């Protein structure tokens, strides 16, 4: 913001949460400073989500999931493609954060944004095609037409860990929602500032409110709540801490959550990423009468 003084100092913004299509501050009032890696100057203030913020995000995601699932696959694909368009429009903001906060070079930052855009386009194209690849007509003996179709799991939670990988983050979110799931994601602590432009992409892409909810905060404070929350139907943990993973699997048993542990061998853009968050329904329909 220019003109405040002779030096035109940059005003650090407060990066809020993204819950239910809105941008609330954390109910706890807590925030953490985000510093520029280049100049060691204050870049922004980042809201730290609390357990109550997580509960609010789950309520929003649960309320949005059924309506999102009922949209046509073609419409979901259109919205994902719109995300790609909006991400391209916010390239400068993504690049600024990647350079200033993550220490990327300009080519590295632009390449990361390209990967995120590619992910939205890829899964947008798959939204109305993957059911044709995995759905089947089953040969059965008797007067029945038997077929199997994929359905979304429902409410998916994601705990990202480690350093920010914008392309991988966008691919994971897009793979989850393209089949009709809603998602609550805790972004990696090292890189959560990317929440600001990413949430704005979601908010301006005709995406139903509550389908994607983005939180920033401490993994150590929230991971147990992700594992124990009874309304979360699938949980993806991408970290390397085996102790946390073991405990999450134990907590998931309470409501039979599906635990998904992304493999380094699975490409970010692949059918397998979608199938990790779908289940299958088999229907027997009388015929031949």
């Amino acid at each position: 913001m220019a003109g405040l003084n002779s030096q035109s100092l940059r005003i650090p913004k407060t990066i809020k949460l993204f819950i239910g299509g809105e941008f609330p501050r954390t109910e706890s009032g807590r925030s953490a400073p985000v510093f520029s890696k280049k100049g060691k100057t204050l870049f922004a203030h980042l809201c730290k989500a609390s357990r109550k913020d997580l509960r609010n995000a789950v309520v929003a995601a649960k309320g949005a999931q059924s309506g999102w699932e009922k949209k046509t696959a073609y419409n979901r694909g259109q919205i994902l493609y719109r995300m790609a368009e909006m991400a391209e429009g916010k390239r400068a903001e993504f690049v600024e954060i990647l350079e200033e906060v993550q220490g990327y070079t300009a080519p590295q930052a632009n390449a990361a944004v390209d990967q995120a855009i590619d992910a939205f386009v890829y899964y947008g194209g798959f939204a109305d095609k993957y059911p044709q690849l995995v759905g089947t007509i089953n040969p059965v003996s008797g007067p029945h037409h038997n077929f199997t179709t994929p359905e979304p799991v429902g409410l998916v939670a994601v705990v990202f860990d480690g350093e920010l990988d914008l392309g991988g983050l966008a691919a994971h979110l897009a793979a989850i929602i393209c089949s009709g799931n809603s998602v609550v994601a805790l972004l990696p602590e090292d890189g959560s500032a990317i929440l600001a432009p990413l949430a704005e992409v979601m908010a301006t892409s005709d995406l139903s409110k509550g389908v994607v909810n983005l939180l920033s905060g401490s993994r150590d404070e929230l991971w147990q709540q992700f594992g124990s929350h009874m309304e979360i139907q699938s949980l993806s943990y991408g970290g390397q801490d085996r102790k946390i993973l073991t405990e999450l699997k134990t907590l998931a048993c309470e409501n039979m959550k599906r635990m998904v542990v992304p493999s380094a061998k699975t490409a970010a853009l692949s059918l397998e990423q979608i199938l990790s968050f779908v289940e299958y329904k088999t229907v027997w329909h009388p015929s031949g009468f």
Side-chain angles (χ1 to χ4, degrees):
M1 183 181 295
L4 291 179
N5 53 53
S6 59
Q7 295 179 326
S8 295
L9 295 178
R10 181 183 183 279
I11 305 300
K13 71 182 295 185
T14 297
I15 300 174
K16 301 175 185 177
L17 310 177
F18 184 60
I19 300 174
E22 307 294 337
F23 293 86
R25 296 177 185 270
T26 172
E27 61 83 27
S28 68
R30 300 176 303 165
S31 65
V34 177
F35 294 98
S36 168
K37 282 194 174 181
K38 292 183 177 180
K40 302 298 182 181
T41 56
L42 181 64
F43 182 82
H45 298 281
L46 186 67
C47 284
K48 295 186 67 175
S50 67
R51 298 179 184 183
K52 187 168 188 278
D53 293 318
L54 171 58
R55 292 196 295 270
N56 291 341
V58 170
V59 169
K62 183 180 179 183
Q65 192 275 320
S66 61
W68 177 244
E69 178 186 355
K70 291 175 183 176
K71 287 185 180 293
T72 65
Y74 177 72
N75 189 210
R76 291 198 299 271
Q78 286 180 308
I79 292 171
L80 280 160
Y81 188 82
R82 179 63 175 165
M83 289 180 191
E85 293 178 334
M86 299 309 296
E88 178 62 58
K90 289 193 169 292
R91 177 182 290 271
E93 294 178 49
F94 280 113
V95 168
E96 180 188 19
I97 292 174
L98 292 172
E99 289 183 348
E100 292 292 327
V101 180
Q102 300 304 117
Y104 284 37
T105 63
Q108 288 174 331
N110 278 284
V113 178
D114 287 339
Q115 291 171 3
I117 293 170
D118 289 346
F120 291 132
V121 172
Y122 181 88
Y123 287 108
F126 242 137
D128 61 353
K129 298 176 182 65
Y130 85 90
Q132 303 172 56
L133 297 175
V134 298
T136 63
I137 297 176
N138 307 309
V140 295
S141 177
H144 291 87
H145 179 59
N146 182 274
F147 55 95
T148 300
T149 57
E151 293 185 337
V153 170
L155 199 168
V156 179
V158 184
V159 177
F160 290 102
D161 205 356
E163 296 184 359
L164 173 70
D165 173 10
L166 178 59
L169 188 155
H172 206 54
L173 294 177
I176 291 170
I177 67 174
C178 84
S179 62
N181 297 299
S182 60
V183 62
V184 176
L186 178 64
L187 301 190
E189 291 183 59
D190 182 13
S192 288
I194 209 70
L195 186 153
L198 184 60
E200 289 172 5
V201 166
M202 302 296 174
T204 55
S205 300
D206 298 324
L207 183 70
S208 302
K209 291 184 176 182
V211 173
V212 174
N213 303 272
L214 304 175
L215 305 177
S216 55
S218 170
R219 180 205 66 180
D220 292 340
E221 180 181 341
L222 295 174
W223 68 264
Q224 288 182 313
Q225 280 62 51
F226 274 86
S228 61
H229 201 297
M230 299 299 286
E231 298 294 342
I232 294 174
Q233 293 159 300
S234 180
L235 176 59
S236 174
Y237 175 65
Q240 302 300 314
D241 192 318
R242 306 307 297 180
K243 182 179 179 181
I244 289 179
L245 177 59
T246 300
E247 181 65 21
L248 283 174
K249 289 181 177 179
T250 300
L251 292 170
C253 292
E254 292 297 322
N255 73 331
M256 299 298 288
K257 284 185 187 66
R258 178 186 296 187
M259 279 296 304
V260 176
V261 183
S263 171
K265 297 180 180 179
T266 303
L269 305 183
S270 66
L271 177 62
E272 287 77 9
Q273 295 278 15
I274 301 174
L275 300 187
S276 294
F277 303 100
V278 301
E279 54 192 12
Y280 299 92
K281 177 176 71 178
T282 298
V283 176
W284 292 73
H285 184 71
S287 64
F289 293 101

